[in-house]
Amino acid sequence: MQQAGSTIEARTSDSAPGEIWPFTVTLATPAIGAYVSDIDLRQPLDEPTYLALRRALIRYKVLFFRDQDITPAQHVALGQRFGKLEVHPVIAHHPDHPELVVFDKSDKKRGRENIYHSDVSWREVPSMGSILRCAECPPTGGDTIWVNMALAYENLPAEVKARLEGLIAVHDLMPLFGSMLPPEQRITVRAQNPAVTHPVVRTHPESGEKLLFVNEAFTTHFSNYAEIAGYRFGFDLKLAEMDLLQYLFRQAAAPEYQVRLKWEPHTIAFWDNRATQHYAVQDYYPAVRRMMRATIIGERPV
């Protein structure tokens, strides 16, 4: 499906001259995102289509598919084609498919995903990617924004990049998810999911890009800021650390790095969690918005 004002790449890829892709790609923005058409995700992906989709994902960072009326079982199978799927410890699951989390929002349950984040960055081995399908969309609103975190890092001032060398950040699920749990479950989830550390700047394992890998949902602080920055006074150190972290968080809010999707029923978004952050706009309450997501396990960030 061609979007107004976009550029069609047809069935070729300028990243590999002469390569023919078994689907059509339509750019969403110059910075990030592409619409993929002439593909039926109800069918198992053959090897050439799988490899081409993986290359497209790495290049565009988020892929959008319209009119894909797939079943939950087909959704799981699509995700498993790209790797092992995780089971989320907090968010509700599909009754027949624990690998599918269900975001079921209505006048009885307001959405709360309106914060820039990378899915499950709080895991020791975070996500490679997520596949989200709209089962029931609000008549208006409920868009999702994705951010190119390679561009966010690339455009940082040189002096900021120098300050980030060797910095390690702490990621934790409890500040966001702990409030959703009763006290007894909170203790169990905490024990099973301790806070973890990841480099502030990670290297994409497939593209080699440098990526800014902190997010305001799950990153709590730097684990080695005093070691890197040097110590003067305690208050001076902590304020400087907080200022730097907040500055890095704000990079995701730059429109120049973003793409915004207006959902329609049976639309699917497939994004690279290593290279992006996203934000679900909560402007549709009290309308119904029902989504299902499969999340593919990735690799330890380096």
Side-chain angles (χ1 to χ4, degrees), residues 10 12 37 46 94 96 113 153 189 197 207 222 258 263 276 279 296:
T12 63
S37 56
D46 59 30
H94 187 281
D96 300 321
E113 297 81 35
Y153 173 75
V189 170
T197 58
S207 71
F222 302 122
Q258 297 180 353
W263 291 96
T276 66
Y279 181 115
I296 305 154

Side-chain angles (χ1 to χ4, degrees), residues 128-144:
M128 167 267 186
S130 294
I131 302 175
L132 183 66
R133 179 175 71 91
C134 180
E136 186 173 355
C137 305
T140 185
D143 298 355
T144 303

